[in-house]
Amino acid sequence: DTAVSQTPKYLVTQMGNDKSIKCEQNLGHDTMYWYKQDSKKFLKIMFSYNNKELIINETVPNRFSPKSPDKAHLNLHINSLELGDSAVYFCASSQSGVLRGGVGNTIYFGEGSWLTVV
Amino acid sequence: DAKTTQPPSMDCAEGRAANLPCNHSTISGNEYVYWYRQIHSQGPQYIIHGLKNNETNEMASLIITEDRKSSTLILPHATLRDTAVYYCIVRVSPSNTGKLIFGQGTTLQVKP
């Protein structure tokens, strides 16, 4: 049973296309995230949703639009793809973005989606 | 969240203990120390976290100095599968955002 699953794992697409990456977690968590890992391997947060409500938007271009139909799903839609969007995108989840004493704050990551824009 | 400093790389012999240091000299009283690792081509994996006391779980031990300005992650018997990038992160918990800020981490190479 995969706790945080994302699809597709690999995606190659042309510049200007629109694509989506889907994420689902079966942990019953309230909070979900999207992280981006670029070619230099730096991991940076993009978005965070808590109970379907956006709580973090780290100055990501408007071409990136997260959608959370329910608290178990957080999809990432990217419009007008650019070469610089090529990266690995990780979905993650945690029990709550607001914590007590460190308990329940563990963030669990998916296996990543490798996006290549050509 | 406080900044952390880790050595960029370390080697360890298989079967020996791997001791990964982390400096967090500006850590605040309400910030926890978290360790994650990322094995090649996989998502980051939670290892352990602590506030003041030393912690141990099935994966590793975390030793935090008394002044909390540094910590050490210990893998007691490193295996080849422990080769990964290890990230030390300090963050407020409870946090109103829950986000993790990753640095460059330490690339641990376990050698046979």
Side-chain angles (χ1 to χ4, degrees):
Chain A
D1 288 342
T2 303
V4 181
S5 59
Q6 44 185 120
T7 56
K9 187 172 178 66
Y10 300 101
L11 181 58
V12 181
T13 188
Q14 290 186 325
M15 284 176 56
N17 284 350
D18 303 338
K19 292 293 179 184
S20 293
I21 305 172
K22 296 184 177 181
C23 179
E24 175 182 5
Q25 53 93 5
N26 62 6
L27 298 167
H29 288 166
D30 297 325
T31 305
M32 296 186 71
Y33 312 81
W34 276 108
Y35 280 77
K36 178 181 179 180
Q37 188 166 38
D38 60 23
S39 57
K40 296 183 179 179
K41 304 299 183 183
F42 284 110
L43 262 166
K44 294 185 68 175
I45 190 166
M46 300 173 67
F47 299 103
S48 173
Y49 270 71
N50 181 264
N51 277 320
K52 301 194 299 177
E53 181 181 348
L54 178 67
I55 57 174
I56 296 176
N57 182 340
E58 292 286 317
T59 62
V60 177
N62 291 336
R63 298 183 296 104
F64 290 78
S65 53
K67 295 282 193 302
S68 182
D70 55 63
K71 73 174 190 177
H73 296 83
L74 181 61
N75 304 322
L76 183 64
H77 188 77
I78 314 171
N79 291 326
S80 304
L81 277 156
E82 301 176 356
L83 294 176
D85 297 332
S86 295
V88 185
Y89 292 86
F90 290 99
C91 178
S93 73
S94 66
Q95 179 61 42
S96 176
V98 180
L99 316 159
R100 292 188 299 276
V103 176
N105 194 24
T106 300
I107 297 181
Y108 297 89
F109 286 81
E111 290 302 302
S113 294
W114 270 252
L115 172 64
T116 302
V117 183
V118 297
Chain B
D1 291 341
K3 184 177 178 179
T4 62
T5 305
Q6 300 177 251
S9 64
M10 291 182 63
D11 289 343
C12 177
E14 187 179 18
R16 304 297 293 271
N19 298 296
L20 292 93
C22 180
N23 287 325
H24 31 80
S25 58
T26 59
I27 192 170
S28 301
N30 61 347
E31 289 183 313
Y32 284 68
V33 180
Y34 278 77
W35 283 85
Y36 278 75
R37 74 179 182 184
Q38 188 175 22
I39 296 170
H40 183 62
S41 298
Q42 296 184 21
Q45 177 189 26
Y46 166 80
I47 301 173
I48 199 168
H49 76 282
L51 180 63
K52 295 180 183 178
N53 299 322
N54 299 336
E55 302 288 344
T56 296
N57 63 19
E58 65 278 3
M59 290 182 69
S61 294
L62 174 61
I63 308 298
I64 303 174
T65 58
E66 193 168 342
D67 63 8
R68 303 208 324 123
K69 293 185 177 182
S70 65
S71 60
T72 302
L73 178 74
I74 300 173
L75 307 178
H77 306 286
T79 70
L80 298 178
R81 287 175 294 180
D82 292 322
T83 292
V85 180
Y86 287 77
Y87 297 98
C88 169
I89 302 164
V90 294
R91 59 193 290 233
V92 173
S93 181
S95 163
N96 63 357
T97 64
K99 68 180 181 182
L100 292 170
I101 299 176
F102 288 84
Q104 289 186 293
T106 296
T107 299
L108 176 68
Q109 182 73 46
V110 181
K111 298 184 175 182

